[in-house]
């Protein structure tokens, strides 16, 4: 793992280029994708400590108890297109460090970076057969979900597929963690610093062209004055976004991943207009000279969005931000809690009371207080609630170690030779 970490560091530029070529995100953003994944490799370097068991002496007369974490066996990981470095690295380094073998099935849309990572793992000394990669789509996935030799499935992707993966793999007797889609709300309180909040919304709404599972796609402005002021601050920032190929200098936002994604996002924007939302910034119709066939779109901002509109209910997964107005804090909190997804959320405020209440009562797995994209660091764990995660265990951190290991409890006695206690049919107790 130490060697693997070094190799990823050494090859960061090359890996970032592979990501940008296939995914479209900017080179700097691709480097962030790699860094956040590499942090899990660093975490896996501490595996002796993480696998340490517990021991209790004399749980009964002359009886000791201890526990150990052992490998699960063959694990498989199915990953989405949007983080071709970070998400495979959430999975296979920790799985291998826990003593398992691993089969990675990356997204068919950008498999080159995952492939290179597997090559680097081999170069670092991972033995043949311990880390494997298979390409494909549903057919390859189904083979893994139903194969008798596979013991555990890690999945990250959209909610309909996550739900299918969870049900199918569980039916075939496997341990499953299946992370799904998201609709992340950022609540902006009337006392928030709106310069900071609007900058945060631009980063979280339009970074990676909105194709992050932790992207903020809904800004909940508390009070109409907050909503008006927020939209006024956001509008010029969105209009000034520097859009172009991810490999070019000084670019903030690249294209979306495929023609299919492009058409789908345009369709959702059209529907938002038809449903009566106010189109404050229209990102449709952007054509870049020399890239007329590229999937580039400008940032879009909707205002006065309501909970019944598809622009609110659907995960857009594109550079589109919806502003929803809430009359007070409780209405905003209810809206976040009512939403079917529970991946990430944030509150922007100067009021410690409100922030603390929000962190305590919100029904979401990852919460930011004045932090727009609260992705936990590698030694904490990543995972949502509700329809953003099927299964029980989050990714990496101790949750990751628990997922990739089975707990064994041993109760042991070494009686003095010749001493007999006779038999007893009552339940064994401390006495
Ligand atoms: P996706 O669900 O289309 O694909 C994910 C993986 O599943 C791919 O490897 C794909 O080949 C496979 N797959 C697709 N359809 C399948 C099917 N019918 N049966 C079996 N396997 C199938 O997701 P995507 O478009 O690659 O990624 C974007 C989605 O992932 C968004 O919904 C986003 O929110 C979500 N995501 C979630 C997290 C999280 O941590 N919760 C992180 C990143 C992305």
């Amino acid at each position: 793992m130490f060697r693997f970490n070094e190799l990823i560091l050494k090859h960061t530029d090359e890996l970032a280029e592979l990501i940008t070529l296939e995914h479209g995100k900017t080179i700097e953003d691709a480097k962030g994708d790699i860094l956040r994944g590499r942090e899990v490799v660093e975490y896996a370097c501490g595996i002796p400590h993480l696998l340490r068991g517990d021991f209790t002496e004399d749980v009964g007369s002359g009886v000791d108890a201890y526990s150990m974490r052992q490998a699960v066996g063959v694990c498989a990981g199915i990953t989405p297109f949007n983080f071709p470095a970070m998400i495979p690295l959430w999975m296979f380094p920790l799985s291998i460090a826990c003593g398992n073998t691993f089969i990675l099935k990356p997204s068919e849309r950008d498999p080159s970076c995952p492939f290179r990572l597997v090559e680097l793992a081999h170069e670092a000394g991972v033995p043949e057969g311990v880390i494997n990669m298979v390409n494909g789509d549903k057919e390859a996935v189904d083979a893994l979900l139903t194969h008798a030799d596979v013991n555990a499935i890690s999945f990250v992707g959209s909610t309909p597929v996550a739900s299918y993966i969870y049900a199918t793999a569980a039916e075939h007797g496997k341990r499953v963690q299946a992370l799904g889609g998201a609709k992340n709300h950022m609540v902006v309180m009337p006392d928030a610093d709106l310069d900071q909040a609007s900058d945060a919304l631009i980063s979280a709404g339009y970074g990676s062209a909105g194709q992050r599972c932790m992207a903020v796609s809904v800004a909940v402005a508390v009070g109409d004055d907050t909503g008006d002021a927020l939209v006024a601050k956001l509008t010029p920032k969105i209009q000034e976004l520097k859009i172009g190929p991810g490999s070019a200098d000084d670019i903030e936002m690249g294209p979306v991943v495929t023609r299919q994604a492009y058409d789908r996002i345009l369709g959702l924007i059209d529907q938002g207009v038809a449903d009566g939302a106010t189109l404050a910034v229209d990102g449709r119709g952007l054509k870049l000279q020399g890239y007329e066939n590229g999937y580039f779109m400008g940032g879009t901002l909707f205002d006065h969005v309501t909970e019944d509109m598809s622009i609110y209910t659907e995960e857009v997964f594109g550079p589109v931000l919806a502003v929803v107005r809430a009359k007070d804090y409780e209405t905003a909190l209810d809206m976040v809690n009512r939403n079917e997804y529970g991946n990430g959320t944030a509150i922007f405020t100067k009021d410690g009371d409100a922030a603390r209440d929000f962190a305590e009562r919100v029904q979401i797995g990852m919460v930011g207080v004045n932090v727009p994209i609260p992705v936990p660091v590698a030694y904490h764990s990543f995972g949502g609630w509700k329809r953003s995660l099927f299964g029980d265990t989050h990714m990496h951190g101790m949750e990751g170690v628990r997922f990739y290991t089975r707990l064994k409890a041993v109760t042991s006695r070494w009686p003095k030779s010749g001493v007999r206690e006779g038999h007893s049919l009552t339940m064994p107790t401390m006495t």
Side-chain angles (χ1 to χ4, degrees):
M1 285 300 146
F2 279 96
R3 258 186 255 141
F4 185 37
N5 186 45
E6 284 300 316
L7 284 173
I8 299 174
L9 250 180
K10 188 172 145 198
H11 292 273
T12 295
D13 288 347
E14 176 205 339
L15 291 164
E17 257 174 56
L18 288 177
I19 294 175
T20 298
L21 273 171
E22 288 179 354
H23 176 288
K25 65 174 83 173
T26 65
I27 292 281
E28 278 314 302
D29 196 26
K31 286 183 181 169
D33 182 346
I34 297 162
L35 174 67
R36 294 308 299 263
R38 199 172 58 68
E39 286 171 355
V40 185
V41 182
E42 288 178 348
Y43 179 70
C45 289
I47 201 68
H49 175 77
L50 302 171
L51 288 181
R52 201 190 54 192
D54 285 327
F55 182 89
T56 312
E57 183 187 27
D58 276 334
V59 294
S61 305
V63 178
D64 303 323
Y66 60 97
S67 65
M68 50 177 131
R69 297 212 151 263
Q70 294 190 322
V72 172
V74 180
C75 302
I78 299 135
T79 55
F81 81 87
N82 65 332
F83 283 103
M86 180 179 80
I87 295 179
L89 291 173
W90 280 355
M91 299 176 182
F92 77 79
L94 204 50
S95 170
I96 292 172
C98 288
N100 303 288
T101 60
F102 200 89
I103 305 163
L104 175 66
K105 204 304 283 172
S107 170
E108 65 281 11
R109 281 168 265 173
D110 48 13
S112 294
C113 174
F115 181 74
R116 191 71 188 109
L117 286 169
V118 168
E119 277 187 339
L120 293 177
H122 281 138
E123 196 179 324
V126 174
E128 263 325 290
V130 172
I131 167 75
N132 313 273
M133 184 174 134
V134 57
N135 279 305
D137 50 21
K138 181 172 164 51
E139 201 179 334
V141 173
D142 284 344
L144 293 169
L145 299 182
T146 55
H147 199 289
D149 289 349
V150 175
N151 302 98
I153 297 279
S154 297
F155 172 86
V156 179
S158 58
T159 287
V161 183
S163 153
Y164 166 77
I165 299 273
Y166 180 70
T168 312
E171 194 188 327
H172 287 83
K174 300 176 197 334
R175 177 178 287 203
V176 204
Q177 51 177 183
L179 278 63
K183 193 81 188 177
N184 305 312
H185 295 54
M186 181 170 128
V187 175
V188 182
M189 295 292 283
D191 68 345
D193 178 325
L194 289 187
D195 287 317
Q196 289 174 2
S198 56
D199 280 345
L201 279 168
I202 297 291
S203 313
Y206 301 97
S208 197
Q211 300 167 112
R212 292 183 184 139
C213 60
M214 290 291 272
V216 172
S217 48
V218 182
V220 188
V222 176
D224 267 331
D225 290 348
T226 311
D228 293 344
L230 192 63
V231 170
K233 289 213 182 271
L234 287 169
T235 300
K237 291 180 186 179
I238 297 166
Q239 286 162 339
E240 285 158 20
L241 284 173
K242 297 189 196 101
I243 299 161
S247 52
D249 290 336
D250 288 337
I251 289 301
E252 293 176 299
M253 195 169 91
V256 297
V257 67
T258 56
R259 159 69 59 184
Q260 194 191 14
Y262 178 84
D263 290 341
R264 185 179 162 275
I265 298 163
L266 285 186
L268 282 163
I269 298 174
D270 291 345
Q271 191 57 48
V273 175
D275 288 344
T278 308
L279 189 59
V281 183
D282 187 356
R284 297 172 296 181
L286 177 83
K287 284 275 172 247
L288 285 187
Q289 214 182 350
Y291 297 94
E292 287 79 3
N293 294 322
Y295 315 132
F296 295 97
M297 45 177 61
T300 291
L301 179 68
F302 276 111
D303 193 6
H304 297 286
V305 172
T306 53
E307 280 177 272
D308 53 328
M309 295 177 182
S310 57
I311 204 75
Y312 178 86
T313 54
E314 294 283 317
E315 182 185 31
V316 180
F317 227 57
V320 181
L321 180 65
V323 176
V324 182
R325 315 286 184 110
K327 70 176 182 339
D328 54 23
Y329 166 72
E330 286 297 330
T331 314
L333 179 66
D334 281 351
M335 188 185 301
V336 181
N337 285 346
R338 253 197 316 274
N339 196 267
E340 64 172 321
Y341 297 107
N343 216 38
T345 189
I347 185 167
F348 269 65
T349 182
K350 290 182 189 145
D351 179 352
D353 230 17
R356 190 168 187 280
D357 186 84
F358 187 75
E360 205 169 289
R361 288 168 61 209
V362 77
Q363 300 291 305
I364 304 284
M366 293 170 283
V367 184
V369 174
N370 297 319
V371 173
I373 313 177
V375 175
V377 289
Y379 41 96
H380 286 257
S381 299
F382 183 108
W385 287 12
K386 299 187 272 185
R387 289 179 63 75
S388 293
L389 190 149
F390 300 82
D392 312 301
T393 341
H394 293 196
M395 293 274 168
H396 61 72
M398 267 320 284
E399 290 268 295
V401 175
R402 285 188 198 106
F403 184 76
Y404 291 125
T405 54
R406 285 185 291 194
L407 188 65
K408 186 180 277 178
V410 181
T411 305
S412 126
R413 163 186 278 159
W414 291 96
K416 288 199 170 60
S417 56
V419 175
R420 282 196 61 195
E421 287 180 6
H423 68 253
S424 165
L425 269 61
T426 57
M427 183 66 187
T429 65
M430 298 261 291
T431 54

